[in-house]
Amino acid sequence: MKKYLLFLLPILGYSQAIDLSLSLKNKEKYVHKISSEVSSTQQIDGAQVETKALSRMRIRYTFGKEDKLIYPMTLRYEEASLEVSTKVNGKEMPLEKIPDYTNQAAKELLEQPLKGELSTKGKIVKIEPLQPLVERAMKTLEKKHAKNNPLTSFEKQQVQMQLEAAFSETTLQSNLSNVLSILPRQRVAIGDSWEISSFLSKEMNVLIKTQYTLVEARGGQLHIKGKSLILTNKQKVILQQGQHVFFTMKGKVDIDVWLDAKTKWIVKATALQALKGETEVEGDLSHQKGKVIPFESQSKIMINN
């Protein structure tokens, strides 16, 4: 009987309920390599417009001692790059020097500390705004090219817009929320499911409910799957330019996360999002009021440590 118990004990251990709370070491360094790829297709005035954006970053985190379920944290970008392309009816549109300028400016963001707080359930409670660093990066970029090839107003606007869209604290929180802010309050066993509510984005006040399931515990890792559905009807969004756009769309998000069984820190993760619908423009200098633009978009976020 004792011989059988030796084989049964590991199985019984995995069948017990697990506390999915972060257990991070004080002053230990943790790293995430994050790639985010977004592609979209729009039908505008009979033309097919395809856009793609691929951002890559490496982020180093250092955590302080946990206090009242909160870890103080400092994060730094160790790597940051962005690739953007646009095609109209299959023809590549020239972006001139903007991509190169954007990556030059992105290098100025590296190794700059950002303070924040992370809960033991993986929620980024707060994080310092990146805006001061972006503004400093832009000044450095302008100064670098002021003598021989000064940036135009349009180039400045586009570079800053791309920096903020790819690397701001808002984008970082959005990219990490589906794979980091997933830990339930209660203990769970293999096969248990729970629900986490979040907003689709800072600009789009749409509540999304994602169901997560602990599907496997093996090799020192915990595998969690998540799935959510997205449905909006003329959801109003104010763009950076102040333009009002109404989104009617449906879609889904599929998530896979592998956690370290001891620390509950992400070992790797993927989040796949697919959306289809239409936008209705309120009206501006380039679009008539009520103009409807069909669109499709796909995004993929991959995280490794």
Side-chain angles (χ1 to χ4, degrees):
M1 180 61 69
K2 290 182 179 179
K3 291 182 180 180
Y4 286 108
L5 284 174
L6 290 175
F7 290 102
L8 286 172
L9 282 174
I11 301 172
L12 288 171
Y14 279 145
S15 68
Q16 295 173 352
I18 302 169
D19 178 13
L20 292 183
S21 297
L22 289 168
S23 180
L24 305 173
K25 294 183 179 179
N26 186 26
K27 297 183 179 180
E28 186 89 1
K29 294 178 181 178
Y30 298 83
V31 174
H32 277 152
K33 296 178 182 178
I34 305 172
S35 69
S36 175
E37 183 175 357
V38 181
S39 62
S40 67
T41 302
Q42 295 176 295
Q43 301 293 332
I44 304 176
D45 296 330
Q48 180 171 287
V49 181
E50 301 171 77
T51 58
K52 289 185 179 181
L54 173 61
S55 63
R56 295 186 179 93
M57 61 195 83
R58 177 184 168 95
I59 301 173
R60 182 175 78 248
Y61 309 80
T62 304
F63 297 98
K65 188 176 181 181
E66 177 258 316
D67 181 34
K68 297 180 180 178
L69 307 180
I70 298 293
Y71 287 101
M73 71 173 179
T74 301
L75 65 85
R76 292 174 170 85
Y77 283 107
E78 293 187 328
E79 298 174 7
S81 65
L82 178 65
E83 300 173 19
V84 179
S85 66
T86 300
K87 290 182 179 180
V88 177
N89 291 332
K91 183 180 179 180
E92 192 85 29
M93 300 300 292
L95 299 176
E96 306 298 338
K97 298 178 181 179
I98 292 174
D100 182 47
Y101 287 155
T102 301
N103 283 306
Q104 287 182 39
K107 289 181 180 179
E108 301 299 324
L109 304 178
L110 304 184
E111 296 299 338
Q112 301 299 320
L114 290 172
K115 301 289 185 180
E117 293 180 350
L118 182 72
S119 78
T120 57
K121 293 303 179 181
K123 181 180 180 180
I124 298 177
V125 179
K126 68 178 182 179
I127 186 171
E128 286 182 327
L130 198 72
Q131 189 63 30
L133 297 181
V134 170
E135 291 176 357
R136 188 169 71 180
M138 290 301 301
K139 288 180 180 179
T140 302
L141 180 68
E142 291 175 41
K143 185 177 180 180
K144 179 179 178 181
H145 295 278
K147 185 176 181 179
N148 297 322
N149 194 17
L151 277 71
T152 66
S153 297
F154 177 75
E155 288 172 335
K156 293 176 187 178
Q157 180 191 49
Q158 290 298 307
V159 171
Q160 183 161 343
M161 189 182 301
Q162 290 187 13
L163 278 181
E164 293 172 351
F167 306 115
S168 72
E169 73 284 354
T170 302
T171 301
L172 182 61
Q173 283 184 282
S174 177
N175 285 346
L176 291 177
S177 62
N178 281 332
V179 294
L180 189 61
S181 305
I182 67 171
L183 305 178
R185 294 183 180 276
Q186 72 277 16
R187 299 172 72 93
V188 292
I190 305 300
D192 284 351
S193 296
W194 62 95
E195 190 175 83
I196 300 290
S197 296
S198 61
F199 289 99
L200 186 58
S201 69
K202 181 180 179 181
E203 295 81 11
M204 195 171 291
N205 191 30
V206 177
L207 189 65
I208 302 298
K209 295 182 178 181
T210 306
Q211 185 178 67
Y212 294 95
T213 303
L214 178 59
V215 296
E216 187 179 35
R218 180 183 295 180
Q221 295 183 10
L222 305 173
H223 182 194
I224 296 171
K225 280 185 169 290
K227 180 179 280 291
S228 61
L229 299 178
I230 300 171
L231 187 65
T232 70
N233 183 29
K234 293 191 175 183
Q235 177 65 40
K236 185 177 181 179
V237 175
I238 302 176
L239 303 183
Q240 287 181 314
Q241 303 92 331
Q243 183 185 38
H244 291 188
V245 178
F246 299 87
F247 282 84
T248 298
M249 61 186 179
K250 60 180 178 180
K252 65 176 183 175
V253 183
D254 292 302
I255 301 161
D256 279 281
V257 181
W258 287 262
L259 305 178
D260 179 88
K262 292 182 179 180
T263 65
K264 312 307 185 294
W265 187 247
I266 293 176
V267 177
K268 61 180 179 179
T270 59
L272 306 175
Q273 177 182 278
L275 295 172
K276 185 175 183 179
E278 59 186 29
T279 60
E280 184 176 337
V281 183
E282 188 176 69
D284 59 14
L285 294 176
S286 58
H287 300 92
Q288 66 185 39
K289 185 175 182 180
K291 184 175 183 62
V292 175
I293 302 174
F295 77 92
E296 292 184 33
S297 73
Q298 296 81 35
S299 65
K300 180 178 183 180
I301 299 171
M302 297 182 64
I303 298 176
N304 295 283
N305 61 14

